[in-house]
Each structure stands twice: as C-alpha cells, then as structure tokens.
Amino acid sequence: MAEAKKKLPAFKTPRLVFKFPKLVEADFGSNEYPKPDGEFSTKAIGKASDPAVQKLIAQLQPLHDAAVAKAEEEFKKLKAETRKKLGGVKVNDLYTELLDQETEEPTGEVEFKFAMKHRIEIKKGPKAGTTIIKYPALFDAKGRPMVVRDRKGKVLPNAPQIWGGTVGIIAFEASDYFIPGTGAAGLKLNLTAVQIIDLVSGGQRSASSFGFGEEDGYEGEDYSGGADEDDGDSEASDDEDENDDF
C-alpha cells in the first residue's frame, strides 16, 4: 500500500505589505528567464520589531534549521566530484533583512517570499501524466471569496487588480528543499490563500495613506454572484482547511 503523503505544516502571516504581487494572473516569466509552468507569488514586508512578525519567524526558524540539517546529510551522499565543485550547501535565508539603498543600514523591515506553481504535472502514481492547475484562493477583509476568474480560469474584466503596497494576510505551507545541482537549500513558503485588508489597485493610494483605519478593511462588490462551481482543479478545493482561517 502506498505511503500517505505527509501533510505540510500550515501557517498564516500577520498583516504584511505586498511587494511585486502576482496573485490574479500567473507569471510565466520572460524570454530570458521563462517560467513555463507559471507562478503566482508575492514578496511581503513587515517590521522586524512587530511581535507578530517575530512570532512568525520563531515558528518557521526551527523548520528552516531542520531543512538545512537535512540538506547537509543529502550533500554528503553526492559524488566526491560534485561535492568538491559545489564546496558545500548554499543556504537561502528564511527572510531578507532590508537595507537602505543609500546608507546600506538596516531599515528595520524584513521581507518574505511566497509562491505557488500554477501548473503541476504528476509524474508518479495512478494519475501520472496528468496536470493539475492551481490558483491562490483570494478573500476580502470580510472573508468573502473574491471572484477574479471564470470556471475556465480566464480573468474577468472587472477583476480587482492587486498592486504593490496592498496590505494583506497570507496563508501558506512550509516545505524544505535541497537542489543537488547547485547545493541550494532552505525552506519554501508555499502560497495557498490571501486575504486583502487594504487594497492598492490601478496606481491608487491605499486607504491608510489617506488616514483611514483598517478596522473594516477592503470590502469589494458582491462576489456571491457570477462564480462558477469549482471543478476540482482549483486551489480552493485543495486548501479548504486553510481557507477557513480567514
């Protein structure tokens, strides 16, 4: 009997500021740096002094340490020639400490990267050769689903665009990785769902920049209508438990 797939640990961030979000349409890269399977992603920035950010780091740091330790063991199994060429495991940090671009002094902010592969080809098991199409589940501040695409995955004309500066909460899963060819290792923060608290769209300033509070958060139009039934290939069906947290 096949061994059950281990469930990845799931987490939820505090409110963070999105940077270069690609959450509505998949990013397929460029000619120079293609992403043939597509990717949804965002970087997210928080204050290092924020207790909620510190708590998130404290939750993830042991998993990151374990990922590095596991990579060290896998590195020992590589051929001697490969080990000599690589020199050792190249650890990718859990987060980036942001610096002022002029003074190079810490700004007091940290940056995380969250990503989800859009297309996943199953290579083993009874479903080998089939492809799963995934989308991040999007919610407004009231916890209502944001309908941004139709049943076939086409983005709707009136879909709200999520721009940098948007404030939101991210649900994600953490998984370790080690790439034998490069020696890179670390912890992947796998995006599953996003809740928009303060939307920046179309170059507009955020509500907070005008002095409005975030208590009521972003509440779009009525999303209850116009949504097609999920056909089983979307992210919503895969991550139902995580979405209940919003």
Side-chain angles (χ1 to χ4, degrees), residues 43-104:
K43 293 181 178 181
I45 300 172
K47 293 187 178 298
S49 60
D50 184 347
V53 173
Q54 293 176 354
K55 180 180 178 180
L56 178 64
I57 293 174
Q59 290 175 319
L60 296 176
Q61 193 63 59
L63 296 178
H64 184 267
D65 294 343
V68 173
K70 182 178 178 181
E72 296 283 1
E73 293 301 316
E74 292 298 320
F75 184 83
K76 295 176 183 178
K77 300 176 184 179
L78 299 178
K79 292 182 178 181
E81 295 84 354
T82 302
R83 295 199 305 271
K84 183 176 181 180
K85 179 181 178 181
L86 295 176
V89 174
K90 297 176 176 59
V91 179
N92 289 326
D93 294 333
L94 175 60
Y95 58 87
T96 300
E97 183 182 36
L98 297 182
L99 304 178
D100 184 280
Q101 296 305 299
E102 294 184 1
T103 66
E104 298 186 5

Side-chain angles (χ1 to χ4, degrees), residues 124-186:
K124 297 181 180 180
K127 294 185 178 181
T130 60
T131 300
I132 296 176
I133 304 298
K134 304 187 78 175
Y135 303 97
L138 304 176
F139 299 87
D140 67 14
K142 300 296 185 183
R144 301 186 305 181
M146 295 170 58
V147 179
V148 299
R149 59 182 59 84
D150 62 20
R151 184 183 180 88
K152 295 182 179 180
K154 184 178 179 181
V155 176
L156 299 173
N158 62 341
Q161 295 299 306
I162 303 171
W163 285 35
T166 292
V167 176
I169 298 170
I170 300 168
F172 67 99
E173 296 175 336
S175 61
D176 60 76
Y177 67 90
F178 172 61
I179 305 174
T182 63

Side-chain angles (χ1 to χ4, degrees), residues 164-205:
T166 292
V167 176
I169 298 170
I170 300 168
F172 67 99
E173 296 175 336
S175 61
D176 60 76
Y177 67 90
F178 172 61
I179 305 174
T182 63
L187 197 67
K188 286 183 179 180
L189 306 184
N190 304 301
L191 172 70
T192 57
V194 173
Q195 183 178 28
I196 303 300
I197 304 299
D198 190 358
L199 178 69
V200 175
S201 183
Q204 298 175 355
R205 292 164 60 189

Side-chain angles (χ1 to χ4, degrees), residues 139 239-246:
F139 299 87
D239 298 286
E240 184 176 353
D241 294 338
E242 288 81 357
N243 295 345
D244 289 341
D245 290 339
F246 290 130

